[in-house]
Amino acid sequence: MTIGSSLFLIAVGAILKFAVTATVAGVDIQTVGVILMVVGVVGLIVGLAIMFSRRQPPVPPAGPPAGY
């Protein structure tokens, strides 16, 4: 999951949780909003962890042995 899609899920979840007042039979929209926000936050944390783990500086190649 990319960082952009995680932010999108967080935004949609917040809209469903705090801004939508409609009711649907059999579905609690506020609970769906909370679930989307949690999935978005978890995806954001995983995406950032993967991004920062890939940014390790490369190891420079070994030079000639001492004495040459």
Side-chain angles (χ1 to χ4, degrees):
M1 180 179 300
T2 63
I3 294 173
S5 60
S6 296
L7 292 176
F8 177 76
L9 285 177
I10 293 170
V12 170
I15 290 169
L16 289 177
K17 172 67 177 161
F18 300 113
V20 175
T21 58
T23 58
V24 178
V27 177
D28 187 9
I29 294 178
Q30 285 76 28
T31 303
V32 172
V34 171
I35 291 169
L36 287 177
M37 286 191 293
V38 169
V39 169
V41 168
V42 169
L44 183 65
I45 292 170
V46 170
L48 288 173
I50 291 172
M51 184 178 72
F52 286 124
S53 69
R54 289 183 184 169
R55 292 195 175 197
Q56 295 175 352
V59 177
Y68 284 101

